[in-house]
Amino acid sequence: MDAGKEQADEAEGLRLVRAFLSLPPDKRAEVIAFAEELARAHGQPGESEGTSPKGTSQR
């Protein structure tokens, strides 16, 4: 039963990644900014200003 749920979650994650990758670069930047804002709002650890994952620096 859990294996089916894990497979469904994995398939959904892959669909989200595919949708994200199909976006134009400016829309991808908007999605990344939105996700970072949500993470900050929820107090995720490692949220220090000025740090961002590799390849997502502001241009």
Side-chain angles (χ1 to χ4, degrees):
M1 183 158 59
D2 285 335
K5 173 75 169 127
E6 287 178 19
Q7 287 179 341
D9 288 346
E10 184 176 331
E12 180 66 18
L14 292 173
R15 283 191 289 273
L16 289 171
V17 169
R18 188 177 300 126
F20 175 77
L21 292 174
S22 70
L23 293 172
D26 60 322
K27 294 296 182 183
R28 286 187 203 174
E30 287 183 38
V31 171
I32 291 168
F34 179 73
E36 288 174 344
E37 184 178 324
L38 284 177
R40 278 192 297 276
H42 289 286
Q44 295 292 323
E47 65 183 49
S48 58
E49 288 293 320
T51 60
S52 62
K54 187 176 182 179
T56 60
S57 62
Q58 297 294 326
R59 296 176 194 190

